[in-house]
């Protein structure tokens, strides 16, 4: 049972001392503090005011096996008793760290047999940044420093991660991006492909990448980085054939290919890896979130042998963190993967719950506010529009409807995320078909409630 917290005091302390992540602190102060989440089980979270909320975001794209898994608690406790911490700096390693590296390599079919550990997806992408540039220097091509990425991509919140990402609001804080990162159009068909066939839009997006490589100079380009499906950008699912064509362009000019699997990895798209769903093969693969289902902070960067073979010629790779390969986090991640495999959660997402979510979301297409409902595996989005024909947005600009609809969903018992004028969802992989139906019913109810407010904007 949850502890008897003093919620009013916690909210007061939250305003007085706590700076929440990616938040408007002045707004939270006006609200009198954050919503205090006290406990959770399965696919539900509970707040300090007694509300039970269906977690349509799996925490933050991560709680794949759901809440309340005693096996993960026991794995952490057992490892803490045996060895709570040791580092990997002093020519040392710990059993769960080594075993987890081997397991991740196995899950890639040994296409990416080497693994470097970190504590967050942002750090995993920092590792990519360092590795790729060092790789090209050791290869005798030190001018190859430029990463090609996409506008509206998300690759983390560190300086390198924000720079690799393509979110202009994040760039504005800190005078970013740093030099050596170029951005191209995103494969966002609903927003940017109107009037084009899927194939023509796909080719236009791929051509933008090739044009940028030629503009920068292939001899200066190090890698192309992208999420198989853009998550925080709004669950942007690329058109059919996009990723194989992107890979072909990258290979043509000698760029490495980086698949950011921080969200898509560990079954989210219906296969173990998003790049498997999308049909391409990366050279480096950062991952996090579903690696431990969020139970402890851990991330990894899986790397192809041909990259590591070059890196081995350079002596010390002077990069890493205190908690790289943390033994307790690694033990929990190993047990988490065991649960995913034992319960067939990847296969279930691909054959049962993913198709069910797609069918359920499709029922929203008749709603007056819904321009498009899309999903892949257990990633989904609902585009909210003022005019279905023109795809016009409320208030004459993007960004009004999503937060309003999100707040209504939360009030009605569903946690989803509002990104610009869309609702996005990423429920735990253990969600039932009945819970998916509940989720979509709450979205419909919430859209009905906000429609009069949106119409007067």
């Amino acid at each position: 049972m949850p502890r008897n917290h003093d919620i009013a005091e916690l909210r007061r302390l939250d305003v007085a001392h706590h700076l929440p992540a990616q938040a408007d602190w002045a707004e939270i102060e006006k609200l009198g503090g954050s919503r205090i989440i006290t406990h959770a089980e399965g696919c539900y979270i509970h707040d300090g005011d007694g509300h039970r909320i269906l977690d349509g975001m799996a925490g933050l794209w991560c709680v794949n096996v759901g809440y309340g898994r005693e096996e993960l608690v026991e794995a952490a406790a057992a490892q803490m008793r045996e060895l709570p911490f040791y580092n990997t700096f002093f020519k040392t390693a710990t059993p769960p760290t080594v075993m987890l590296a081997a397991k991740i390599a196995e899950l890639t079919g040994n296409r990416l047999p080497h693994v470097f550990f970190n504590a967050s997806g942002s750090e995993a992408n920092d590792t990519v940044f360092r590795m790729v540039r060092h790789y090209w220097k050791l290869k005798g091509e030190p001018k190859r420093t430029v990463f090609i990425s996409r506008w509206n991509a998300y690759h983390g919140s560190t300086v390198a991660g924000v720079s690799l990402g393509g979110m202009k609001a994040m760039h504005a804080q800190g005078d970013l991006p740093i030099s050596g990162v170029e951005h191209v159009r995103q494969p966002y068909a609903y927003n940017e492909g109107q009037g084009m066939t899927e194939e023509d839009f796909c080719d236009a997006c791929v051509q933008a990448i090739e044009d940028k490589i030629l503009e920068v100079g292939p001899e200066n380009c190090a890698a192309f980085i992208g999420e198989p499906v853009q998550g925080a950008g709004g669950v942007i699912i690329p058109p059919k054939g996009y990723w194989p064509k992107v890979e072909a362009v990258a290979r043509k000019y000698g760029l490495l290919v980086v698949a950011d699997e921080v969200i898509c990895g560990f079954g989210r798209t219906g296969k173990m890896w998003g790049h498997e769903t999308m049909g391409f093969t990366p050279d480096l693969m950062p991952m996090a979130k579903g690696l431990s289902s969020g139970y402890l902070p851990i991330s990894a960067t899986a790397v192809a042998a041909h990259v590591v073979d070059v890196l081995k010629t350079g002596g010390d790779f002077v990069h890493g963190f205190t908690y790289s390969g943390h033994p307790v986090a690694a033990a929990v991640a190993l047990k988490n993967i065991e649960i995913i495999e034992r319960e067939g959660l990847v296969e279930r997402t691909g054959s049962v719950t993913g198709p069910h979510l797609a069918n359920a979301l499709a029922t929203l297409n008749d709603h007056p506010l819904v321009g498009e409902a899309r999903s892949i595996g257990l990633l989904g989005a609902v585009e909210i529009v003022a005019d279905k024909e023109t795809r016009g947005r409320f208030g004459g600009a993007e960004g009004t409807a999503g937060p309003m609809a999100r707040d209504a969903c939360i009030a009605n018992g569903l946690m989803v995320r509002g990104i610009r004028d869309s609702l996005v969802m990423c429920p735990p992989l253990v969600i039932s078909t009945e819970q998916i139906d509940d989720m979509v019913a709450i979205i419909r109810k919430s859209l009905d409630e906000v429609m009069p407010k949106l119409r007067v904007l």
Side-chain angles (χ1 to χ4, degrees):
M1 294 295 294
R3 286 174 284 173
N4 187 24
H5 295 288
D6 184 335
I7 301 303
E9 176 64 3
L10 286 172
R11 286 167 65 88
R12 185 192 70 78
L13 292 171
D14 179 60
V15 170
H17 304 292
H18 178 221
L19 299 177
Q22 303 230 9
D24 182 335
W25 299 329
E27 179 185 10
I28 288 177
E29 186 172 5
K30 288 178 184 177
L31 292 171
S34 303
R35 180 187 298 271
I36 306 298
I37 304 300
T38 56
H39 59 291
E41 81 288 326
C43 294
Y44 295 92
I45 56 175
H46 298 255
D47 70 18
D49 297 317
H51 301 117
R52 181 176 183 252
I53 303 169
L54 179 59
D55 187 6
M57 282 305 301
L60 193 59
W61 320 88
C62 58
V63 188
N64 287 8
V65 301
Y67 298 95
R69 291 285 193 160
E70 285 299 318
E71 285 181 87
L72 300 184
V73 177
E74 291 165 6
Q79 184 59 46
M80 283 185 178
R81 292 187 187 101
E82 185 174 276
L83 179 67
F85 172 76
Y86 206 71
N87 67 77
T88 62
F89 278 53
F90 306 147
K91 298 180 182 178
T92 59
T94 65
T97 305
V98 173
M99 292 166 64
L100 180 59
K103 184 62 182 179
I104 291 171
E106 176 192 317
L107 293 175
T108 73
N110 280 309
R111 294 184 304 274
L112 302 168
H114 304 286
V115 182
F116 190 101
F117 289 109
N118 307 284
S120 70
S122 298
E123 291 173 2
N125 277 311
D126 267 35
T127 298
V128 165
F129 195 84
R130 293 281 299 281
M131 275 188 176
V132 167
R133 285 189 162 183
H134 190 45
Y135 165 85
W136 284 115
K137 186 174 182 180
L138 292 171
K139 285 270 288 184
E141 298 185 63
K143 290 172 62 180
R144 279 191 181 263
T145 60
V146 177
F147 282 77
I148 309 296
S149 182
R150 300 175 296 193
W151 292 116
N152 201 35
Y154 185 83
H155 296 296
S157 287
T158 59
V159 168
V162 171
S163 297
L164 289 170
M167 296 192 169
K168 294 180 180 179
M170 297 184 78
H171 289 171
Q173 296 180 353
D175 298 321
L176 301 172
I178 57 178
S179 63
V181 183
E182 298 285 340
H183 296 89
V184 299
R185 71 183 300 178
Q186 60 182 327
Y188 187 2
Y190 186 79
N191 227 33
E192 302 180 18
Q194 194 168 13
M196 303 175 71
T197 67
E198 182 180 26
E199 184 177 4
D200 285 346
F201 179 66
C202 175
D203 289 344
C205 291
V206 175
Q207 188 62 52
I209 296 169
E210 185 165 18
D211 290 346
K212 180 61 71 173
I213 292 170
L214 293 172
E215 175 192 326
V216 172
E219 71 280 6
N220 299 315
C221 292
F224 179 83
I225 183 171
E227 305 153 86
V229 176
Q230 288 164 251
V235 183
I236 309 303
I237 304 168
K240 184 178 179 181
Y242 170 84
W243 266 110
K245 291 180 178 181
V246 169
E247 183 181 8
V249 168
R251 303 300 181 202
K252 177 180 177 180
Y253 296 105
L255 281 70
L256 295 173
V257 176
V258 182
D260 183 339
E261 296 270 8
V262 169
I263 287 174
C264 293
F266 299 96
R268 181 54 57 186
T269 64
K271 292 185 181 294
M272 181 59 70
W273 307 112
H275 70 264
E276 292 177 317
T277 301
M278 293 299 161
F280 71 104
T281 303
D283 301 294
L284 296 97
M285 186 173 72
M287 66 193 78
K289 296 190 184 292
L291 175 56
S292 70
S293 285
Y295 275 63
L296 280 177
I298 186 171
S299 67
T301 303
V303 191
H306 70 90
V307 175
V308 173
D309 287 346
V310 173
L311 294 173
K312 285 178 179 178
T313 68
D316 286 354
F317 182 51
V318 286
H319 172 76
F321 305 93
T322 301
Y323 300 125
S324 291
H326 194 290
V328 180
V332 169
L334 276 167
K335 181 60 68 172
N336 174 68
I337 293 170
E338 179 186 314
I339 292 170
I340 289 172
E341 292 186 319
R342 186 179 72 229
E343 298 186 2
L345 296 182
V346 178
E347 296 78 11
R348 181 173 178 269
T349 298
S351 63
V352 180
T353 50
H356 191 88
L357 176 62
N359 291 333
L361 285 176
T363 67
L364 295 174
N365 283 318
D366 67 353
H367 194 281
L369 298 185
V370 176
E372 178 182 73
R374 59 179 177 267
S375 67
I376 185 166
L378 285 175
L379 280 171
V382 176
E383 294 275 0
I384 304 170
V385 294
D387 188 305
K388 286 174 176 277
E389 187 70 26
T390 67
R391 304 183 187 181
R393 307 293 180 166
F394 286 99
E398 281 191 296
T400 303
M404 288 180 64
R406 171 206 62 202
D407 290 347
C409 285
I410 295 171
N412 287 320
L414 171 67
M415 182 62 71
V416 288
R417 191 169 180 181
I419 296 177
R420 298 183 310 280
D421 285 322
S422 63
L423 291 174
V424 303
M425 62 216 70
C426 173
L429 301 190
V430 295
I431 195 169
S432 68
T433 54
E434 292 80 11
Q435 288 168 329
I436 289 172
D437 292 339
D438 290 345
M439 184 168 66
V440 174
I442 292 172
I443 291 172
R444 180 178 288 276
K445 176 183 178 182
S446 301
L447 291 174
D448 288 342
E449 290 176 358
V450 301
M451 185 159 53
K453 300 173 186 176
L454 288 169
R455 292 295 186 200
V456 300
L457 291 176

